[in-house]
Amino acid sequence: MTLEAFADTILPGEKRFPDDRAVAGVSTGGGAVASGAIDVLRTEEGGMAPALDALADGLNEHAERYAGERSLPLDDAVPPFVSLDYDHRVALVRELVAADHPEREAWVSLAMFNTIAFDAASHLHTVDALAAGHPGLTTMGYFGPDSDGLWRFPSYSYGRVLARPHPDTTPSGSPA
Amino acid sequence: MSRTESTDVLVIGSGFGGAITAYHLAAGGAKVVVLERGPWLSGPEFDQDFKFGSSTTRVFDFVIGDGMSVLSGNCVGGGSVVYFAAMPRAPRFVFERHGSIGRRMWPAAIDRDALDPWYDRVAEALPVSQQTWDDVPFAGGLFGAACDHAGRTANPVPVAIDHDKCTNCNWMMSGCRFDAKRSLLLNYLPAAVAHGAEIRPLHEVQHLTRTDDGGYRVHYSIVDEVDYRVHVSTGTIDAKIVIMAAGAGATPVILQRSEPHLGTMPHAVGRYFSGNGERLNTAIFDEDRIRDVLGLSRPDGVPYEAYQIGKGPCVATWDQLDGSLPEYSRFSLEQLYFPPGFGTILAQVPDAVGPTWFGREKKELLRRWRSWLTVFTMSEDDNEGVFGPPPETGNSMRLSQQMLGRGALSYTPTKNTLHGWAESDAAVKDILERDGLSRVMPWTNEVVGAYTVHPLASCRIGDDPATSALDDRHELRDHPGIFVTDGSAVPGALTVNPAMTIAALAERAVPGIVRAAQERGVAVRYGAPAPDGSTAGRRGVLPLVTGSTRR
Ligand SMILES: Cc1cc2nc3c(=O)[nH]c(=O)nc-3n(C[C@H](O)[C@H](O)[C@H](O)COP(=O)(O)OP(=O)(O)OC[C@H]3O[C@@H](n4cnc5c(N)ncnc54)[C@H](O)[C@@H]3O)c2cc1C
């Protein structure tokens, strides 16, 4: 749940069910969580799986400290990071990924995998992800393949001269 | 322990530097073995798929350093398998650059005129051809039209692509399954194999030691074909000549790791790294303005919405490649496609109220992904990259099964480099924001530092032993018989895509390597035609070559 809340901070989505706590619900359409962020993090290939528990614990410790410093009340029913509202989650994540934060590499890596879930669905074959209406690829408007599962764009060019070439161009087409 | 194998010439890496030298030496009669750390894929094995474990992750190496991340090929064919095949020659002024050393950094023997016959050899071999505007996809057309609207020129760039086979699928970074991209898998490498060269994939070289007879022993591990973090065995091969072509992010690391065995390396090994002054800007276009201001529309009436369609960089503006401008203010701008999974994280939201590269507003930016245009800057940086102590194996500590690793390269951009970036960012803004066409923000360096797909100069050629690791024949100073022919030999940023120059330098280095092999008793001569048998390029260079050819 903590890592879901982190993923939702990176690329937010709409709540999956009315009292969804991990997803803050600040955006319409599916975000990183609905795109499979946790599945991507858990893949053996990605290499993040062994670190996930420690990352979730670390994030909650940071959240507790963050809330303490600002006297924000935390709801014991959910982990501390989940208890923060979206803007506080963002503020904390900005702190953690800042250039001078000692743990920034860990949090940037986590953000990177969350982004990959949304924009590439790396836990699924791309053809299958599109067929299943993967939220990230769909939101981006990623065009689907031909019926044989391969991409081709027969219409691809404006097909006319659109600029003057540089005067110092060699006959082979390189800068002189 | 089994008996150590031996060969005449051992080539490390099978990208431009490795494939070209391997071909010529094998064709000339030498026994050649190529060790390549990545897998050997071709044709239908190149998946159009972002799933972990498909060719998209198998053929790449992405190393996060301190202030600079390097993306390169990891497969037989190296960068040529994943590259975008834009193949311009470097402009004349590049060879006169001073860079960070205050005097001409290229060897006296090399300028554009001297390199042109070698460029011609590569152009014939791949082959490289000039594109027309009919070949240029919508994104390149949009960039060209925007340049024109801003009173600038723009050129379709020369490419190594067979246009009849290209489907404009824009999956070329995962390897081209239609064989439209003229990678080394289609020319130099099969020709090298036909002449007896042996290519061994999944062989990662770790270090070199000396043999008693003045040659070198090359120590490698065999890498698991799925989980590159796992090494399944080790071995050695002895060679009279070693050609290092592991790429500018890996060659200096192998040499650093060899230093305890071979003795002191030249000072420039692992220093003067250049990211080719790269920088990316993402513009979000207003579709109506594209139609109203530039008069563009696709056959289906949509103005653009075509970020996904095409084939990498196709149109560049070279207005700033003016030799009379001061150093660090010359750059080219090129339209480029970066697929999902690699680059969207670095795109920033213009005028963001919240964070720029993640969060609510970033999601909104991704909704308009079809209207993105990425513009790539190649400028003059200051060769400020330095490699720290080498990791245990390879060139990084591998984090994921494939692709992702943490390396020891550190890069802190100097004022000169930052100046070049700022000027290029301003030019991009001037072109793309004119008359409300788009909003544009540079990619952020905050996430993984600067980012290069064109690593160069970590082991460079030069005349001055204090600032170059190689002499002008690409031989490693004080270590005779070791040659470096990949991007690490290029002295500095080129202001254009580098593969054509890396390849031309490798072609130019071959006669000297042949001579060195002959001196060590190898029966080899120089003078092979292009891989397909064409001979025009050879006619151009033979008069320049003395001593290494024999009837
Ligand atoms: C996405 C992308 C797009 C690009 N587009 C263009 C473009 O359009 N135009 C252009 O000019 N350039 C482009 N480039 C850059 C171009 O690919 C490189 O400049 C070029 O391939 C470098 O050639 P090289 O011989 O130096 O090394 P590489 O081609 O990188 O070859 C090095 C090889 O050595 C292997 N290797 C590394 N370490 C070891 C080891 N320890 N043991 C054994 N093998 C090892 C690697 O796996 C690799 O195959 C692009 C690069 C990328 C990543």
Side-chain angles (χ1 to χ4, degrees), chain B residues 23-24 117 120-121 124-125 526-543:
Chain B
Y23 163 64
H24 283 290
D120 289 342
R121 287 219 72 165
E124 179 182 45
Y526 180 74
D532 71 354
S534 313
T535 53
R538 178 174 65 181
R539 265 200 306 283
V541 300
L542 276 185

Side-chain angles (χ1 to χ4, degrees), chain B residues 453-474:
Chain B
V453 296
H454 295 156
L456 298 170
S458 51
C459 202
R460 62 191 190 179
I461 48 172
D463 292 331
D464 172 15
T467 56
S468 62
L470 315 172
D471 64 24
D472 67 4
R473 296 156 46 255
H474 293 245

Side-chain angles (χ1 to χ4, degrees), chain B residues 12-18 35-38 60 71-80 82-88 173 203-206 245-248 250 254 313 334 338 394-395 453-456 485-488 497-500 502:
Chain B
I12 304 171
S14 58
F16 289 94
L35 300 183
E36 163 57 54
R37 95 188 140 179
F60 268 108
L71 184 62
S72 39
N74 174 72
C75 54
V76 173
S80 79
V82 301
Y83 85 149
F84 292 129
M87 292 294 268
M173 271 176 74
H203 283 57
E204 184 175 82
V205 172
Q206 307 303 347
I254 298 170
E334 195 170 80
F338 244 89
N395 57 318
V453 296
H454 295 156
L456 298 170
T485 55
D486 56 16
S488 41
N497 321 68
M500 190 65 177
I502 296 168

